[in-house]
Amino acid sequence: MTTAPDRQVHRTSAAIDVDAPADVVYRALTEVVGWPVLYPWIAHTEVVARDGADDEVKFWAVRPGPEGGLRIWTSKRTLDPVARRMVFEQQGSVGPIERLGGTWDFVSREDGGCRVESGHWFTTDADPAVTAGELDRHGALQMRTLKAQTESATALTSDVVRAEASAIAQGSFADVRARLLAALPAGDGNGDAWFGETEAGPTVQIVHGDGVVVQKLLSPPEPAALLRTRWRLAEEADGVRVTADVLAVATHGHEQVRALAEAGVRDALARAGAR
């Protein structure tokens, strides 16, 4: 994994103490399939390549604050679970940042908790002090959220509700995919991700490749704290298998949220014409 030339490098760092074991916190940060639960602003993640300790991950995030919008980026990572270290480098430029990389370390404390330390390097054509300030603000939010989620006894485990089902939809792969996309709200976006409006409220839709479609409600119905639907399409001899799964979070009202998730799966299959 490369680093930027020294003459271009600017650096930021952050740290936080977490009252949870280092292994638990390390896994929460590095197992990116769980990021939509860990970080509320993450709509979806996909591991697009993996080779031993190295992988490449694509992220779709809804930017908080009045500016709103979607941020989409890919990062290459090297994971070392023994040393509890992650090294990463963002692929391509995002906004004023030309290149971005760094490390995350998780150091055990004698009392059973850990110290989380991050160091970032970046290059930019903009004012580096402004860019560093933005990275520091987001980094602090990321640290605080990681601390709150991993210190909670239930946030990443029993508060998470999942429902899944699959069925065959008749027609060609292209027909089923087109039918599903037509059933989702139209809206503005950059091609593979866009905002829309449904009866349940505002949403973001994401398409990854030909066979994965995701919809996340930005204001989920009570008592759910998160409600995200994913479709996976796979061509089979007798049609197209549509697998629908709903990911939800319930800080209370778990049975109500489970009912919402199960109803969401049935609705998702119907939208693709699968019963």
Side-chain angles (χ1 to χ4, degrees), residues 107-114:
V107 183
S108 292
R109 300 193 322 242
E110 291 184 358
D111 63 0
C114 68

Side-chain angles (χ1 to χ4, degrees), residues 153-204:
T154 62
L156 302 179
T157 54
S158 57
D159 285 349
V160 180
V161 177
R162 301 178 188 272
E164 180 177 313
S166 67
I168 296 294
Q170 299 302 311
S172 69
F173 187 94
D175 288 341
V176 174
R177 184 177 186 275
R179 186 162 59 231
L180 171 58
L181 292 177
L184 299 178
D188 296 327
N190 64 355
D192 69 347
W194 68 98
F195 292 107
E197 191 73 32
T198 69
E199 291 182 359
T203 63
V204 60

